[in-house]
Amino acid sequence: MVLKELERIRCAFFWGIQEGEKKIHWVKWNNVLASFAKGGLGIGSLKGFNYSLILKWLWRFNMNQGGIWVKVVKAIHGMHGGLHGESDYKRGIWFNMVKMYLSAQSSGMITKYPIRFNVGNGTKYKWNNGIWMWHWKHISLRGRSESLLYELSQMLESVPLLNQDDKHYWAVCQNGDFSVSETRNSIDNAILPSLHPGTRWNKTLPKKVNIFLWRLAIDRLPTRLNLVSRGVDIGNIGCSICNHGVEDNHHIFFRACWLRKFGEKLVCGQVSISTDSPLG
Ligand SMILES: [Zn+2]
């Protein structure tokens, strides 16, 4: 699959891996792609991006009812363009896009019925001179269905119309307008895994430092303990600086043994600190 191959290339680039070279991927690629809130680096997946662009077409299909291309799609796939899975013509690019949309809904990647509408003053969609316009699957109503319909119309009587236009909205995005990036983030949040804790990104620090701190927080730095637990044969897991205790995150960064070692060497005169100004 093309997407998989592209993600593989992006992943290799991220870890600085040359073609044919083997290196440890310290964090699963999907975890790297995830948002800060999910403990990733917020890169975003290509799958989410691809879906988001496809969904944009379906959104435009809804918003652009007068468009010639929309009429063509309707002529082939029916009134709703097959968006309810009703198209008889099961071929072509449009059908494949709709299929992805339907599968995204059933897998929970996006909310059910992302295209919804707000009734405002009722002029555009369902109301015609104050009468609700129904679309029926079954034309004749009898018995129970008839009384249910009566109840429903009684309830609708009391719904006040608003002094604003009826409009479609995209339920995935906050303000109801379609946004590729917001839709993509929403899909990514549904499909990407999460790590604990959430990522803290400091904009004033260089990227490299942020990524280092991120790897420190989730314990994915190449300490001896981590190397051995990933099957790298390095003999022992003792600290390479002080040789007291296991070399793990905590030991290196919080016991600060390298600082102590440096102090010892300083006292023994093995290293000296120049007091000259570096500028001469
Ligand atoms: Zn140590």
Side-chain angles (χ1 to χ4, degrees):
M1 205 173 133
V2 180
L3 273 181
K4 232 179 181 175
E5 179 60 15
L6 286 172
E7 288 291 18
R8 196 191 61 76
I9 293 169
R10 292 210 302 169
C11 175
F13 178 76
F14 179 81
W15 293 110
I17 300 168
Q18 304 289 325
E19 200 60 45
E21 195 183 6
K22 274 199 172 171
K23 240 180 176 181
I24 298 174
H25 295 193
W26 286 96
V27 184
K28 281 197 183 114
W29 185 235
N30 276 346
N31 284 120
V32 179
L33 296 178
S35 65
F36 288 163
K38 291 193 109 185
L41 294 180
I43 295 171
S45 72
L46 291 175
K47 183 178 179 176
F49 190 43
N50 187 36
Y51 265 95
S52 178
L53 290 175
I54 283 170
L55 292 171
K56 186 171 188 183
W57 276 105
L58 306 184
W59 171 249
R60 286 170 69 176
F61 172 83
N62 249 274
M63 300 305 287
N64 199 358
Q65 290 293 314
I68 293 189
W69 70 273
V70 172
K71 286 177 184 162
V72 172
V73 168
K74 282 184 173 183
I76 299 170
H77 296 283
M79 259 296 285
H80 304 290
L83 294 187
H84 305 301
E86 79 286 7
S87 179
D88 289 328
Y89 188 79
K90 300 193 185 308
R91 264 181 293 162
I93 294 173
W94 184 261
F95 175 75
N96 285 329
M97 278 165 42
V98 169
K99 205 162 87 178
M100 285 175 78
Y101 160 74
L102 294 174
S103 81
Q105 272 190 64
S106 58
S107 66
M109 202 188 280
I110 53 164
T111 172
K112 272 239 175 273
Y113 313 117
I115 301 170
R116 302 179 191 174
F117 65 86
N118 260 337
V119 177
N121 52 22
T123 51
K124 202 167 166 190
Y125 294 125
K126 295 287 178 180
W127 292 83
N128 188 8
N129 295 328
I131 300 163
W132 194 259
M133 303 283 285
W134 303 101
H135 292 293
W136 294 117
K137 269 191 175 160
H138 307 287
I139 306 298
S140 57
L141 293 168
R142 267 180 246 104
R144 180 87 181 115
S145 7
E146 199 176 3
S147 62
L148 278 174
L149 173 62
Y150 180 73
E151 266 177 53
L152 180 60
S153 52
Q154 290 288 306
M155 281 161 70
L156 284 172
E157 288 280 303
S158 60
V159 176
L161 292 181
L162 302 170
N163 191 22
Q164 63 185 38
D165 287 343
D166 297 343
K167 65 170 190 181
H168 274 101
Y169 69 97
W170 182 248
V172 178
C173 295
Q174 284 262 306
N175 66 0
D177 282 333
F178 191 97
S179 141
V180 172
S181 68
E182 219 179 316
T183 304
R184 175 191 196 175
N185 291 342
S186 161
I187 293 171
D188 277 346
N189 275 334
I191 62 174
L192 294 176
S194 47
L195 278 177
H196 194 73
T199 306
R200 281 159 62 178
W201 192 269
N202 187 329
K203 280 183 183 163
T204 56
L205 294 174
K207 259 185 206 165
K208 271 196 169 173
V209 176
N210 269 308
I211 292 173
F212 181 83
L213 292 173
W214 167 68
R215 285 179 64 181
L216 173 63
I218 55 179
D219 192 15
R220 302 300 169 88
L221 287 168
T223 58
R224 288 189 150 193
L225 181 67
N226 279 343
L227 284 167
V228 167
S229 69
R230 277 166 180 76
V232 181
D233 187 14
I234 48 166
N236 74 82
I237 53 173
C239 174
S240 51
I241 299 167
C242 70
N243 215 5
H244 295 296
V246 173
E247 185 185 297
D248 59 11
N249 250 358
H250 183 79
H251 183 90
I252 294 179
F253 296 99
F254 303 105
R255 298 288 300 277
C257 65
W258 53 273
L259 206 64
R260 219 178 309 138
K261 193 78 184 173
F262 183 74
E264 280 168 21
K265 285 192 173 177
L266 196 67
V267 170
C268 302
Q270 288 170 4
V271 281
S272 61
I273 292 173
S274 167
T275 48
D276 293 341
S277 157
L279 296 172

